[in-house]
Amino acid sequence: MKFDIDTLGIIRSPYKEKFAIPRQPGLVKSARARLELRPPYDQPDVLRGIEQFSHLWLSFVFHQTMAQGWHPTVRPPRLGGNERVGVFATRSTFRPNPLGLSVVELHGVGRERGKLWLDLGAVDLLDGTPVVDIKPYIPYADSLPHARGGFAPEAPTPPLAVSFTPEAEQQLMPWLKAHPELRQLVSEVLAQDPRPAYKKGKPDDKEYGVRLFDLNVRFRISEPDCLVSAIEPA
Ligand code: SAM
């Protein structure tokens, strides 16, 4: 069987590239996003009652990687990027059907000038991600505290302490009006150490850049420290 599945809405998030997006929702709490509903789903009736729930499940399409297809086995970063396991034993983006599933915070519903959206938090979603289903998170059924977590038994502890140079602090200031959570977002994102696994545990003199909102955030890592050196328009 083949199915036609429609895009219900599009994610607007600060993550403009895959690099540095957390591997699961909930790891970067300050990552706020908006899910803008598309016609014919942009009618308030479809959301009636949703604000009673604190969290939602989103099913979405890994639109940026889907053209690369899939493999029967993958190397999860959680296993250091060397060991192979079956694709269905992972949350890899490279799956036969490129569908993702994330539980996110629901902060509210917005409606203005004919547009309808959901305000979300703690997302792991790229800007522009197409969402194909929205469901409330139901704690009694969805929370299983005694479940076995395989090779990912618990949330990783952020390995880095993030600080800003005085120049970066200055450059940050004007953006706080539009994005009050920006400082926290940069800190939480970089604290996870977004570098590829092979770069970790060795001296690293490279300067990295990550795009958050319309900004290029530049940083260097000398474990366990991460120093933000510049925050500039992208
Ligand atoms: N929570 C989801 C799941 O379990 O299905 C996603 C897990 S996947 C390991 C998380 C990664 O997906 C992020 O680190 C980001 O790089 C990537 N990602 C997020 N949105 C994407 C998109 N629209 N297209 C391709 N990759 C995306």
Side-chain angles (χ1 to χ4, degrees):
M1 280 186 269
K2 294 258 183 195
F3 304 92
D4 269 338
I5 291 181
D6 205 7
T7 298
L8 308 183
I10 301 287
I11 290 289
R12 298 293 165 215
S13 96
Y15 297 126
K16 308 294 178 189
E17 59 182 346
K18 276 186 60 207
F19 178 57
I21 302 182
R23 287 192 213 125
Q24 287 301 335
L27 296 175
V28 171
K29 298 276 183 212
S30 55
R32 299 288 297 261
R34 184 173 273 200
L35 169 52
E36 293 177 357
L37 295 179
R38 297 175 69 225
Y41 315 106
D42 57 347
Q43 40 183 305
D45 271 350
V46 303
L47 300 181
R48 196 186 297 170
I50 203 165
E51 282 169 293
Q52 298 169 47
F53 296 91
S54 62
H55 293 76
L56 300 176
W57 287 110
L58 300 183
S59 303
F60 61 94
V61 177
F62 289 118
H63 74 301
Q64 202 176 84
T65 46
M66 58 188 282
Q68 295 170 51
W70 68 283
H71 301 281
T73 60
V74 295
R75 291 183 295 208
R78 190 63 181 245
L79 290 174
N82 293 320
E83 205 175 317
R84 284 196 172 271
V85 292
V87 62
F88 298 134
T90 77
R91 307 288 284 255
S92 167
T93 60
F94 304 104
R95 334 182 57 77
N97 292 314
L99 294 175
L101 182 66
S102 290
V103 67
V104 298
E105 298 171 357
L106 174 62
H107 290 273
V109 173
R111 198 176 160 200
E112 211 177 272
R113 279 183 244 123
K115 287 209 181 289
L116 181 65
W117 67 85
L118 293 168
D119 284 314
L120 308 172
V123 304
D124 60 347
L125 305 167
L126 188 65
D127 188 50
T129 296
V131 171
V132 294
D133 202 10
I134 305 163
K135 289 189 173 82
Y137 175 91
I138 298 177
Y140 83 81
D142 296 339
S143 167
L144 304 169
H146 303 298
R148 269 185 291 134
F151 58 79
E154 58 210 16
T157 307
L160 301 179
V162 180
S163 56
F164 295 67
T165 61
E167 294 76 26
E169 289 280 7
Q170 282 289 321
Q171 291 166 336
L172 180 73
M173 291 297 169
W175 304 102
L176 292 176
K177 196 159 181 239
H179 310 297
E181 75 285 22
L182 181 61
R183 193 178 202 289
Q184 184 69 15
L185 180 68
V186 170
S187 300
E188 287 185 62
V189 164
L190 299 185
Q192 305 175 94
D193 195 346
R195 296 173 301 165
Y198 72 89
K199 284 278 188 185
K200 298 180 185 174
K202 298 179 200 141
D204 186 353
D205 55 9
K206 186 176 151 121
E207 187 182 56
Y208 294 87
V210 60
R211 211 175 137 206
L212 294 172
F213 297 107
D214 289 328
L215 299 168
N216 185 25
V217 177
R218 300 213 315 256
F219 60 98
R220 288 179 190 278
I221 292 176
S222 172
E223 294 175 35
D225 297 310
C226 171
L227 185 63
V228 180
S229 46
I231 297 178
E232 296 163 342

